[in-house]
Amino acid sequence: MAEQQRKALRFTTQKDFTQRLVLSTLTGRAIQISEIRPESTSNPGLDPHEISFLRLLEAITNGSEIDISMTGTTLRYRPGLITGSAAGSGAVSGVIRHELPAGCERGVSYFLIPLCLLAPFSKVQVNVLFTGPGVITSATTRGDMSVDSVRTAILPLYAHFGINNNLELRIIRRSNPGPDGKGGAGEVQLVFGHQVRLPKTLHLLNAGRIKRIRGVAYCTGVSASNNARMIDSARGILNPLTPDTYIFSDVSSAPFLPSTDRSRPNAKSKIGLGFGLSLVAESSTGCLYSADVVSPPSGGAIPEDLGHQCAFQLLDVVSQGGVVPFAAAPTVLTLMAMASEDVGRIQLGKSVLGSADIIGLARDLNKFGASQWGIRDMPDGPGSKIIASIVGKGVGNVGRRMA
């Protein structure tokens, strides 16, 4: 109790919004975020996807206090106990149904990645069904990765921390971004059933060599030939890297939403049309590198161009070096900081470690009480790789300890 009664940490602007809320929930420290889009004349304060994430936090925790100012530009959050899908905490038959609003511009991975960070520290398993007109399962132009990449490139990383049982991510209904990039009406279910007292300490220093590439080409409500064209163009670039390249094709119909036309109350309209490609390269030591592209909501994209773009993007991610790419680095570094009180080591590319987002994560972790990172160059490697040493905070699973 004394820990939660300490003075709230103060942050400004909406930058790293989910990251700070996750760290607050894991460490039990209250936070206050101010100056959230105060100068916007059309939409000041919190966006719909940020409010939806707060509702998700409220659903999987017990005792959390959320206070939003009248203008929506200031948020006060005092975290509670992470209960997951426990009975009496909003779950029906062990499943929390979370509906995303139609104005949501972010992919569902915006919610999945932070939720996966909280799930190992939950009292019971986390079983959340994302539904509603705002669910986008594909990648987005705002930088969110697709659900396929979360399933194949993010969830397997938890095995390094001893978390590998009963993890499942199901795509029940696919969707691409709707008009103006808003909404998609997809449906995704996350089952995270492995809770631990403390994550294991990680030592991952050898990136190995790329041995195989897997991927998913998906299209929603458009011709299946788009998938074949993306796969053919991507394989033309990736086959010289490794012949063990297989890209699965997934064709699905577009979701339907009720029409907003009052003259036709029973009419329905298609939404979430488009196509995209997700690629994941696996090394001989189990390291994963991912890339995502998606057709823009306005249309006009050529499948061959998207295939080339995704393949070159994957090669660029691999060339950055390190054992985790930029997209997965926040997940791994946060788990290392929350692990048992021992020194973990990880190899990162300089461009990954030196990015503004990773530096911001290190500062936020330090502000929440985690130790600073030790950094040194690889002793026998090229100068583009760095070894980061992180001492775990030993946060632990409070719910599991109480149980």
Side-chain angles (χ1 to χ4, degrees), residues 108-170:
V108 74
S109 61
Y110 173 86
F111 305 88
L112 286 172
I113 295 175
L115 182 60
C116 289
L117 278 172
L118 296 173
F121 304 92
S122 173
K123 185 177 180 180
V124 300
Q125 78 165 5
V126 173
N127 190 339
V128 179
L129 176 66
F130 292 91
T131 185
V135 177
I136 303 172
T137 65
S138 69
T140 67
T141 54
R142 296 193 60 172
D144 302 310
M145 63 168 50
S146 66
V147 178
D148 297 283
S149 293
V150 176
R151 177 174 53 84
T152 57
I154 299 295
L155 283 184
L157 296 175
Y158 286 82
H160 294 298
F161 299 92
I163 307 169
N164 53 7
N165 296 328
N166 195 19
L167 308 184
E168 188 176 359
L169 184 57
R170 309 170 189 152

Side-chain angles (χ1 to χ4, degrees), residues 113-245:
I113 295 175
L115 182 60
C116 289
L117 278 172
L118 296 173
F121 304 92
S122 173
K123 185 177 180 180
V124 300
Q125 78 165 5
V126 173
N127 190 339
V128 179
L129 176 66
F130 292 91
T131 185
V135 177
I136 303 172
T137 65
S138 69
T140 67
T141 54
R142 296 193 60 172
D144 302 310
M145 63 168 50
S146 66
V147 178
D148 297 283
S149 293
V150 176
R151 177 174 53 84
T152 57
I154 299 295
L155 283 184
L157 296 175
Y158 286 82
H160 294 298
F161 299 92
I163 307 169
N164 53 7
N165 296 328
N166 195 19
L167 308 184
E168 188 176 359
L169 184 57
R170 309 170 189 152
I171 303 176
I172 300 173
R173 184 168 61 239
R174 285 192 178 273
S175 64
N176 281 53
D180 300 323
K182 297 180 180 180
E187 198 165 298
V188 174
Q189 185 172 11
L190 172 68
V191 178
F192 204 113
H194 193 166
Q195 282 64 48
V196 295
R197 173 69 183 87
L198 277 173
K200 293 182 179 179
T201 302
L202 177 67
H203 297 278
L204 197 56
L205 302 175
N206 184 12
R209 300 175 66 88
I210 300 300
K211 66 175 182 179
R212 62 169 164 254
I213 296 174
R214 296 293 182 265
V216 177
Y218 52 87
C219 65
T220 307
V222 296
S223 172
S225 63
N226 292 306
N227 283 357
R229 293 162 65 182
M230 284 190 295
I231 293 172
D232 185 64
S233 60
R235 285 182 59 92
I237 296 171
L238 298 175
N239 277 350
L241 175 64
T242 171
D244 189 5
T245 300

Side-chain angles (χ1 to χ4, degrees), residues 28-29 34 43 77 98 102 117 141 175 180 248 268 284 306 320 329 376 398 401:
R29 291 294 304 273
S34 57
N43 189 27
Y77 174 66
H98 185 68
L117 278 172
T141 54
S175 64
D180 300 323
F248 176 73
K268 293 184 178 181
S284 55
L306 262 64
Q320 292 174 4
R376 60 185 175 90
V398 178
R401 184 167 67 245

Side-chain angles (χ1 to χ4, degrees), residues 88-110:
S89 299
V92 178
S93 300
V95 180
I96 294 176
R97 186 181 180 91
H98 185 68
E99 186 168 335
L100 300 185
C104 183
E105 299 178 347
R106 305 301 298 263
V108 74
S109 61
Y110 173 86

